[in-house]
Amino acid sequence: MRTSDHPFYIQLYPTLSCNLSCGFCFNRNLKPTQDINVIDFKKIVSVLSELEIPFIDILGGEPTLHPDLMKLVDLTNQYGLRTNISSNGNNVNALKTLSEKYDRDSVRIGISINSSKLSDNLHHYILTYKPVIKSIFDRSGMIPESCQPYVGLPGIDYFLLYMDVLDHDDLKNIVSFYDYHRKLNEIKSINNGVNGVYCSGFIPDKEHYP
């Protein structure tokens, strides 16, 4: 039986390789490392299964750049883990292959969209397979124009992320958490298809510490 001292999910970074260089990426300053191999990945997934941890979140880098991503996802499913994959959406063919092989209850794709324009291939993929869409909240205080057509569509969840600050230069690109949270609630009051992602430590525990 799963016990409370085990986490509900883990994040795993099988590769740190990426085909973009986003200024807001929280892994942008990490040194390149060797991709995880299938054998070691299987050991990790086996332990997670034994601990009855039900979810695994695969990030990067860009996960679709891992040469054995399909084998890794096959293993998570073999061991009964529901899988989230966070992608930048550049490798539409790989995402399409995953979406056609697994239903959304087994493998859920999340795509980070922060550019002003999407490729036709990615647009059609989103409309067909309805991945999770997420973008970074910046000083504009708005949902990126490229994301707006998909927000509120049935089957598509949209998340507006509060940006992580890694160094002093990041301070010029962010707003205070108070302003983010206020604006997020304004957007949610207009469109209930919008969700926020942020560290829960930013919200005071008013129940225990009024």
Side-chain angles (χ1 to χ4, degrees):
M1 178 180 295
R2 183 176 177 274
T3 58
S4 59
D5 61 341
H6 297 150
F8 186 67
Y9 79 103
I10 69 151
Q11 292 181 331
L12 188 66
Y13 301 79
T15 182
L16 291 180
S17 299
C18 193
N19 45 15
L20 294 180
S21 181
C22 301
F24 53 79
C25 180
F26 53 80
N27 278 343
R28 67 182 186 270
N29 292 328
L30 296 182
K31 295 180 180 179
T33 60
Q34 185 175 355
D35 293 350
I36 193 170
N37 61 58
V38 175
I39 294 175
D40 288 340
F41 185 86
K42 183 176 181 179
K43 293 176 182 177
I44 293 173
V45 172
S46 174
V47 171
L48 298 181
S49 178
E50 290 176 5
L51 296 176
E52 298 187 9
I53 296 174
F55 285 94
I56 184 169
D57 195 7
I58 296 179
L59 303 94
E62 168 52 36
T64 60
L65 293 180
H66 193 291
D68 291 316
L69 178 62
M70 289 300 300
K71 293 180 180 179
L72 304 188
V73 177
D74 287 343
L75 283 169
T76 64
N77 278 265
Q78 177 184 327
Y79 280 90
L81 276 72
R82 297 177 65 182
T83 306
N84 296 315
I85 299 175
S86 296
S87 171
N88 60 28
N90 275 10
N91 192 343
V92 177
N93 288 336
L95 299 180
K96 184 177 179 181
T97 299
L98 285 165
S99 296
E100 290 181 345
K101 184 171 184 178
Y102 294 105
D103 61 44
R104 299 194 331 162
D105 289 333
S106 300
V107 177
R108 194 77 196 270
I109 306 295
I111 299 177
S112 297
I113 300 177
N114 298 278
S115 58
S116 58
K117 188 176 181 180
L118 304 187
S119 68
D120 289 340
N121 284 343
L122 182 55
H123 170 70
H124 292 304
Y125 172 82
I126 292 172
L127 294 181
T128 302
Y129 297 100
K130 297 180 173 55
V132 173
I133 297 176
K134 44 194 173 178
S135 56
I136 295 291
F137 184 88
D138 60 22
R139 288 187 176 275
S140 71
M142 299 178 63
I143 296 172
E145 184 177 351
S146 56
C147 296
Q148 292 177 12
Y150 312 113
V151 177
L153 288 182
I156 292 182
D157 296 318
Y158 176 75
F159 293 90
L160 201 53
L161 283 63
Y162 187 60
M163 180 177 168
D164 294 297
V165 176
L166 301 184
D167 55 45
H168 185 270
D169 290 339
D170 287 339
L171 296 175
K172 65 179 180 293
N173 297 318
I174 69 162
V175 297
S176 70
F177 180 78
Y178 174 83
D179 288 334
Y180 160 81
H181 198 257
R182 175 179 56 81
K183 186 64 178 179
L184 175 65
N185 286 330
E186 289 178 6
I187 295 173
K188 289 172 68 174
S189 68
I190 299 171
N191 193 322
N192 59 13
V194 175
N195 302 279
V197 176
Y198 51 84
C199 175
S200 61
F202 282 117
I203 303 296
D205 183 354
K206 293 182 179 179
E207 181 179 351
H208 298 96
Y209 303 97

